[in-house]
Structures are given as C-alpha cells and as structure tokens.
Amino acid sequence: MPELPEVETIARGLAPLLCGLRFTDLVALDSRVFPGRTDDFCRAVLGKLITDVRRRGKLCLVELEDASLVAFHLKMTGRLFVARPQAEPAPHVRVLLPLDDGRALHFADMRRFGVCLGFAPGAITAWDFYARLGPEPFDLTPQAFAARIGARRTAIKAALLDQHAVAGVGNIYADESLFEAGIAPWAKACDLAPHRLERLHGALTGVLRRAIEAGGSTIRDYRTAEGVEGSFQWSFHVYGRAGEPCPNCQTPLQTQKIAGRTSTFCPACQTGERKHE
C-alpha cells in the first residue's frame, strides 16, 4: 500500500489543486524521506509552472513546464495533500513544498519508507528504479501480457509483484485478480497456458479499473488527496479474508507465503494447471 489504484487516485486528486501553480520553497524535515541535495532540488523545481500530476507504476509524478519532475514514492504509509503550511507541521509530515497561492503540498509518511526526489529535465531516466519499471498493465494487450509474464519461471504471484515485469501491482490486486482468473498464486508463470494468462490480464485490468473508480482501498493509512478513505476494500473477494467462505463455492479461504507476501486464495476455485493439462 498504496498500489496502482491508490496512487492513480491521488494523482487525479492533486492535478486540479496544483496545475497552474508554482513551488516557491522546500522545507525538508526528514533526510530519510528527502535523500537528495536540497540545492539541486531547488534549482530543478522551484519557480516553475506545474503542468500535470500523473502516475507511473506506484510513483506520483508532478510535472513542471520544462519537463522537470518531482517524484514521490509513497511506499507503505506515504500521503500527499494540499493545505496551509503550519508553524508546527502536522504529525508525520516530512516534506513541505509551499505554493505561490499560500498553500503547500505536504508529504507525510508515518513509517518513513517513502521518498521525495527532484529531477532536472530527462534526469529521471538515470534513476535505476524508474528506468527498470515494466510496462503499465493497461498498456499491454492480453497477448503481450501473456508473453511477458509467461516467460517468468517464478510463481505467478511473484511475477505480478515484480515491478520489472509489470508496474504498479501489489499484494491486494494480485490476490484479487488471481482469484477472478481462477489461478493458484503458487502456479509457475511459465507453466500456465497463454489463454489463462490472457484471462488473468483481463481480470487484473478489470480489478484495477474498479478500484480506481472506488478511490482505492483503505486498510489503515491510505487517504485520497482530499483526505477521503477509499471504498474498494468492501469489494474484496479474498484479500484479508482468510478462513472465510469463498464467495463462489463456500470453501474456506486459505493463505500461503509467496515471494515473502501472504497470498489469500480459494483452494477449490484457483488451480495451477499446466499448459499440457
């Protein structure tokens, strides 16, 4: 958390609040969240017109008029919102970016895993994390998705979580899409028939779109840019529901650790059939 739908929701919420304004200052309160050089950041970012706010993978990117960027990786508990700067910042605010209308973009992060970075035009491509991001799920055809994911020799759940394979997918939406596609999370990606992987692509993009429409999923900390909780958590079929009956067949849902993450699945509805079976 936050995953693709949450970051997409945040970016869409911030765009009308920020576009047409300029950052006038930088207040870096925590070097762990702001690891860059302040003078480089200020030179690249301050005083330039904000033209767009968009998402790439799980990154929220604020675009400036000369193609400079401010990148936020929210990690587990990062939040972005616009408010008046305060003499005593709100709890967990790590970076403040005052705006020329008197407000400021606040980056709060309770657990301090997130980062805020500024990039001069074109410089973000030298950031290894960004350069190695895989394609967006929505940018792949079902056939291209099947070919890309089907080349992986790992568990299909691990392949979905690999940001180099496909960008933006995390634990929640991997579990939900695998359930909808009827695929066991431990099944080897390379063992799955192309038509099953194509079906998974449809399930994944469908789940992601519905989650975006619901404003994302709020488990604990996530809020939209307007401070509102998401509502997709009320539509979960399997995530966080271990021991409850499967919504399709009533078999108790089970869990298994895959790629270091807990996967929740239905042992009856989700199978790991191989290509030749």
Side-chain angles (χ1 to χ4, degrees), residues 221-236:
D221 305 291
Y222 164 72
R223 299 292 186 276
T224 69
E226 299 82 7
V228 178
E229 292 187 358
S231 62
F232 191 70
Q233 65 274 12
W234 305 116
S235 301
F236 289 167

Side-chain angles (χ1 to χ4, degrees), residues 204-234:
L204 175 62
T205 54
V207 165
L208 292 173
R209 285 193 177 96
R210 294 196 301 273
I212 292 169
E213 290 171 2
S217 303
T218 295
I219 308 301
R220 284 184 294 274
D221 305 291
Y222 164 72
R223 299 292 186 276
T224 69
E226 299 82 7
V228 178
E229 292 187 358
S231 62
F232 191 70
Q233 65 274 12
W234 305 116

Side-chain angles (χ1 to χ4, degrees), residues 235-255:
S235 301
F236 289 167
H237 289 120
V238 292
Y239 181 82
R241 297 187 57 202
E244 296 182 28
C246 169
N248 289 345
C249 71
Q250 307 306 304
T251 300
L253 299 175
Q254 297 180 9
T255 61

